[in-house]
Amino acid sequence: MAKEIISVTVKAQKADPITAKSDLLAVGVFSDAKRDRLCEAIDERLGGAIAKVRRLGDFKAKANTSALLYGDGKIGAQRVLLVGLGERKKATNNTVRGAAVLAASKAVELRAGRAVLALHNGFARRPDAAGLGRAIAEGAHFGSYRYDEFVTKNEDGRLKELIAIVADANAAKVAQLAKGVRVGSIIGRAQSFSRTIANRPGNVMNPAALAASAKKVARETAQLSCTVFDEKQLKQKKMGGILAVGSGSVNKPRLIVLKYAPVGKKAARATIGLVGKAITFDSGGISIKPAAGMQEMKLDMSGGAAVLGALKAAAELKLDLNVYGIIPSAENLPSGTSYRPGDIVTTYSGKTVEVQNTDAEGRMLLCDALHYAVEQKCDVIVDIATLTGACIVALGKHKGGLMGNDAGLIKQLQAAAEASGEKVWHMPSGEEYLEEMKSKIADLKNIGNKWGGACTAAAFLGQFVGDMKWAHIDMAPMEAMFEGGKKSGVVGSRGFGVRLLTTYLMNAAK
Ligand code: BES
Ligand code: MN
Ligand code: ZN
């Protein structure tokens, strides 16, 4: 690859934020705190500079805002970044993660290689120092991420290494913070990895390349193994759905199967199957998409990337449960060998599907992967996919859709979404929606009527899980080219799903 992506190290240290040497000191500020000892102490050193930006109203300490001041040799840091945390009573771990995202992003822009983070200090009365440490580490990784491996010339130069120090004067608290930082760094790194996998363009990241990346992760990670089924094996197994979608490209499809199994035997360990859609480029196929925006469809393998990231994190965290990562991968292109509208495809499960639109390809390959997950006797199956534009119409770009057949599983995923800050919204997918997916000439067809496309797509998938507990996350809203970061120049994948799925697995392993 052209370039190394920035290396980030986050550590918790017993240190005084005021005297610690750094290029940047990031200080969290509540908008409504009456007293803030750290801010006051820094302000005193800086001769009232903080009081001044507050008084002038230049910095109101709202969440997602910041103000930059300079240390001028009066404190250990070259620069001070005040980071807004909003109202104190509304603040959660998600707030502190967001503050760390902002601080780390600024550190990269300012080329501040050594940053001291004093973002959790105002949360002093909360007992959850580990949770705060984890959120800060996740945020530091997320905010410092830049996808620039193909930029050969970078005029401003760029930061190669960021050391982020979570500073606290209290040794017992540092120990707790450090625990969280360790977990958050594993998850944060897995998320950045997932973003790079997703961001790589279609000419680089094709199904074989994705399979090679998955194999590499498995090689480098204890207790993680990877099996790849190539086109020949897919034919032998009669995985008609994956083969149909991949038939138009010279880059042949793959089914990638990762397995994490913890050390040691224990009878009652749950097995969870994660299934992720990995279309390395979705042109729509014969039912071709309009040209405008088609380039975004290089991100159509984000579900698979999320599953790969979550497996990597689960293994590094040594979670006490078995996890399958099942990633069907293909490139959806139009050609003389493509599958076509009108085709009837016999899927791996034996169920037949009438293809009415080759652009509804995600469900065509997920159905084979779901049936494979059922065969592996998973206790629970969760799939994640950039499945429908309809889900973006329904939810906007702020939350993923969540559907499924088990109320308990939906609740667990909602809780994981809340804790991880990767939001989902529960949507229906029952009988009425399934009716629309029935074909007159096959068991199912691959598109419904005009409305409720996210729900009919989920109803289709639900036909391939038998009576297993199953949930489906339509992450199209979250991976349609990330625009939230345009101002900071951050575009592309946000690695949605890695934190959500890993948090879900951590809770399931408790
Ligand atoms: N990958 C797309 C869904 C998508 C659209 C993801 C926009 C992210 C942003 C999916 O394969 C697709 O094309 N779905 C079709 C389904 C339709 C043909 C029933 C869609 O949503 O238009
Ligand atoms: Mn499509
Ligand atoms: Zn697609």
Side-chain angles (χ1 to χ4, degrees):
M1 279 311 139
K3 259 200 205 173
E4 281 278 297
I5 289 177
I6 183 170
S7 122
V8 184
T9 309
V10 188
K11 45 189 172 188
Q13 247 171 37
K14 187 173 181 305
D16 178 358
I18 297 172
T19 52
K21 294 260 179 279
S22 72
D23 303 305
L24 181 74
L25 165 64
V27 184
V29 187
F30 288 105
S31 58
D32 56 351
K34 295 222 167 56
R35 297 228 41 198
D36 183 330
R37 277 167 43 214
L38 181 58
C39 265
E40 284 165 22
I42 298 170
D43 196 36
E44 198 172 300
R45 297 280 195 109
L46 297 184
I50 298 180
K52 195 190 218 164
V53 284
R54 294 302 304 267
R55 193 172 59 241
L56 292 175
D58 295 2
F59 175 68
K60 297 195 178 73
K62 288 189 179 145
N64 293 316
T65 68
S66 66
L68 187 64
L69 305 170
Y70 292 88
D72 294 328
K74 295 168 191 160
I75 55 171
Q78 300 266 16
R79 308 173 184 85
V80 179
L81 186 74
L82 304 175
V83 184
L85 297 170
E87 286 174 51
R88 189 174 200 146
K89 66 173 187 302
K90 288 190 187 157
T92 63
N93 290 359
N94 291 331
T95 313
V96 87
R97 188 191 303 100
V101 169
L102 209 160
S105 184
K106 286 277 183 202
V108 171
E109 278 164 40
L110 297 165
R111 270 163 276 134
R114 188 179 172 83
V116 169
L117 306 180
L119 300 169
H120 67 283
N121 308 61
F123 291 75
R125 265 176 248 111
R126 293 177 40 129
D128 184 23
L132 291 168
R134 172 178 163 188
I136 290 168
E138 290 173 353
H141 279 273
F142 192 95
S144 56
Y145 179 86
R146 298 291 182 278
Y147 181 67
D148 60 1
E149 64 178 342
F150 290 103
V151 180
T152 61
K153 203 163 118 197
N154 198 326
E155 310 268 277
D156 316 331
R158 83 193 236 295
L159 194 64
K160 291 197 176 60
E161 189 182 14
L162 173 66
I163 313 273
I165 295 147
V166 182
D168 200 288
N170 176 329
K173 215 160 143 209
V174 169
Q176 282 304 103
L177 285 164
K179 262 193 193 170
V181 164
R182 195 188 71 84
V183 172
S185 297
I186 287 174
I187 298 171
R189 269 200 302 275
Q191 182 158 47
S192 294
F193 169 74
S194 173
R195 291 173 81 176
T196 295
I197 292 289
N199 279 329
R200 286 184 178 153
N203 61 333
V204 172
M205 189 50 81
N206 55 40
L210 180 61
S213 297
K215 284 236 170 200
K216 183 159 180 278
V217 173
R219 257 198 320 276
E220 292 166 353
T221 313
Q223 302 307 116
L224 191 62
S225 62
C226 178
T227 310
V228 175
F229 300 97
D230 64 13
E231 199 197 20
K232 201 170 135 211
Q233 291 160 311
L234 293 171
K235 278 184 180 148
Q236 276 163 3
K237 290 183 97 59
K238 299 202 167 92
M239 294 196 162
I242 300 176
L243 287 163
V245 177
S247 62
S249 175
V250 292
N251 299 313
K252 296 302 175 196
R254 299 284 189 277
L255 176 66
I256 302 160
V257 181
L258 293 142
K259 185 166 189 205
Y260 164 66
V263 189
K265 285 206 162 53
K266 199 164 109 186
R269 223 173 237 151
T271 298
I272 294 182
L274 302 180
V275 177
K277 168 181 172 181
I279 296 294
T280 58
F281 183 68
D282 181 14
S283 71
I286 297 294
S287 314
I288 197 163
K289 288 179 182 294
M294 199 196 275
Q295 69 278 4
E296 293 184 16
M297 285 301 126
K298 71 173 184 174
L299 293 180
D300 210 22
M301 33 78 68
S302 299
V307 167
L308 182 50
L311 266 283
K312 176 174 150 73
E316 289 179 6
L317 291 167
K318 303 188 167 57
L319 298 186
D320 190 21
L321 80 178
N322 301 306
V323 192
Y324 278 99
I326 302 166
I327 306 173
S329 184
E331 184 174 39
N332 188 20
L333 291 185
S335 81
T337 57
S338 296
Y339 80 135
R340 34 183 119 44
D343 283 2
I344 296 175
V345 172
T346 302
T347 66
Y348 185 39
S349 66
K351 285 197 165 77
T352 55
V353 180
E354 180 196 353
V355 178
Q356 290 195 337
N357 188 318
T358 62
D359 197 13
E361 85 295 341
R363 62 202 78 179
M364 293 300 299
L365 94 176
L366 283 170
C367 64
D368 284 0
L370 289 169
H371 185 69
Y372 183 85
V374 171
E375 284 185 341
Q376 308 315 304
K377 300 201 165 45
C378 296
D379 297 298
V380 170
I381 302 172
V382 179
D383 80 74
I384 182 162
T386 47
L387 202 65
T388 67
C391 197
I392 312 176
V393 174
L395 297 178
K397 291 188 172 184
H398 307 291
K399 289 180 164 83
L402 172 64
M403 285 139 273
N405 62 11
D406 183 81
L409 179 58
I410 295 289
K411 273 221 177 82
Q412 288 163 7
L413 286 163
Q414 284 172 323
E418 184 50 41
S420 66
E422 294 191 325
K423 296 176 189 169
V424 293
W425 194 257
H426 188 200
M427 294 165 76
S429 62
E431 281 299 319
E432 309 93 305
Y433 298 97
L434 181 61
E435 276 312 304
E436 287 185 44
M437 301 306 289
K438 291 190 176 152
S439 164
K440 292 199 170 65
I441 55 172
D443 299 335
L444 292 162
K445 54 193 174 84
N446 79 332
I447 58 170
N449 304 323
K450 195 172 175 186
W451 310 111
C455 308
T456 50
F460 177 98
L461 295 179
Q463 289 302 288
F464 295 88
V465 295
D467 47 21
M468 308 243 63
K469 284 184 187 173
W470 158 78
H472 159 64
I473 299 165
D474 191 335
M475 65 174 289
M478 301 309 287
E479 215 51 57
M481 216 67 175
F482 177 29
E483 287 164 5
K486 248 183 193 161
K487 262 189 267 172
S488 65
V490 180
V491 291
S493 166
R494 43 186 155 174
F496 180 87
V498 175
R499 296 204 312 263
L500 167 58
L501 293 173
T502 308
T503 305
Y504 164 72
L505 293 175
M506 288 170 78
N507 291 343
K510 266 178 194 161

